[in-house]
Amino acid sequence: MQIIRDIATLHRAVAALQQGGKSVALVPTMGALHDGHLSLVRMARRVADHAVVSIFVNPTQFGPNEDYAAYPRDEARDAARLVEEKTALLWAPDVAVMYPDGHRTHIEVAGLGADYCGAARPGHFDGVATVVAKLFNQVRPDIAIFGEKDWQQLAIIRRMARDLDFAVDILGAPIARDADGLALSSRNAYLSPEQRAAAAAFPAALKEAAAAIAGGAGVDTALAKAQADIIAGGFDSVHYVALADADSLERLAEYRRPARLLAAARIGKTRLIDNLAVE
Ligand code: PAF
């Protein structure tokens, strides 16, 4: 696996991978790779001839009081796991390559980033959209794969790629979960053993609410019960539990398809997100 840190070398290396009409699928990450990420890399290898992974802890998507400095970083371990997954190339730019002095442009996908996680993390999705657009221009992949765990992020990236005519197919990959249902996340590493055990209450409450809504229960009642169950399960606060149109992310007071249950809750200092299709 090649590890590349400058854009000119990256362009040459990706062009070489694409020679003869071969395809490249990009898996953008911030490192701290877990089995969920590796499932995206496996999917990249199934849908394209070559898998390219980027690791970049993007400062512009962290708020001033968030965990940018403390975000887990272990490139050597990540690279070893990517070699095992037969990744062709690791794109690992540093901050000065991604945001050279004087960088001033950013992308805002108006509206889609304002609610849900965007309400609690102002500017977060502008940082995500901007870095993903840059990654698309840097790597020039045929396909890009994002986990469905961050459904709002996926919807924003899909809209950004459509609006700006990026010639990249965006694929969503199903959420990878532990045996007790907790969605895999780099932030799970912050949980104490007690918090980790309690965290299973979060997906369980969402599963029950999704089944109730699909079965005809009132949306408000099902969402209120999910919120109460999450707190009863040991969480400190619930940022939101909402039923949303799966594409436009518009909040739904009544069930109609395609719908997605979106949620974020805090246990101790760790904020977890999750979502489920309601069908
Ligand atoms: O989901 C992530 O890990 C990040 O938001 C992404 C898409 C790599 C952009 O920094």
Side-chain angles (χ1 to χ4, degrees), residues 28-30 56 58 61 128 131-132 146 153 157:
T29 81
M30 298 205 301
F56 179 67
N58 176 34
Q61 68 188 76
V128 170
V131 82
V132 169
F146 297 84
Q153 167 172 285
I157 290 167

Side-chain angles (χ1 to χ4, degrees), residues 14-249:
V14 174
L17 293 175
Q18 287 170 327
Q19 245 173 24
K22 295 254 174 17
S23 57
V24 160
L26 170 67
V27 179
T29 81
M30 298 205 301
L33 301 181
H34 50 65
D35 290 347
H37 293 114
L38 301 183
S39 73
L40 305 189
V41 179
R42 278 174 219 134
M43 179 168 167
R45 292 193 50 244
R46 279 198 306 278
V47 298
D49 295 300
H50 300 289
V52 169
V53 174
S54 63
I55 294 182
F56 179 67
V57 184
N58 176 34
T60 67
Q61 68 188 76
F62 288 81
N65 300 317
E66 293 185 20
D67 55 348
Y68 174 66
Y71 197 84
R73 293 165 171 85
D74 188 345
E75 190 189 291
R77 177 183 165 280
D78 288 345
R81 300 196 80 180
L82 293 174
V83 168
E84 280 169 25
E85 297 299 335
K86 302 191 171 52
T87 305
L89 188 161
L90 170 58
W91 170 228
D94 69 20
V95 175
V97 169
M98 188 60 81
Y99 298 114
D101 272 353
H103 182 278
R104 299 187 66 82
T105 305
H106 80 268
I107 294 176
E108 180 194 349
V109 180
L112 284 186
D115 201 350
Y116 314 114
C117 286
R121 307 182 72 189
H124 168 72
F125 287 114
D126 298 355
V128 170
T130 303
V131 82
V132 169
K134 286 171 72 68
L135 289 168
F136 287 174
N137 283 331
Q138 291 162 355
V139 178
R140 302 170 181 168
D142 303 281
I143 296 168
I145 300 179
F146 297 84
E148 290 181 349
K149 184 171 82 71
D150 194 334
W151 190 266
Q152 187 174 15
Q153 167 172 285
L154 179 59
I156 286 171
I157 290 167
R158 283 200 162 117
R159 169 64 60 186
M160 188 262 302
R162 261 200 307 266
D163 289 353
L164 299 183
D165 305 309
F166 279 102
V168 182
D169 280 340
I170 312 287
L171 302 184
I175 301 176
R177 296 182 181 277
D178 267 338
D180 63 1
L182 184 68
L184 300 188
S185 163
S186 308
R187 292 203 164 94
N188 295 354
Y190 299 153
L191 301 174
S192 68
E194 296 73 31
Q195 290 170 336
R196 172 62 194 82
F202 187 31
L206 299 185
K207 200 169 161 192
E208 196 181 315
I213 293 169
V219 171
D220 284 352
T221 312
L223 298 183
K225 178 165 186 326
Q227 189 149 339
D229 288 350
I230 294 165
I231 296 293
F235 279 72
D236 294 288
S237 60
V238 174
H239 285 180
Y240 60 87
V241 182
L243 186 70
D245 179 285
D247 301 320
S248 71
L249 303 183

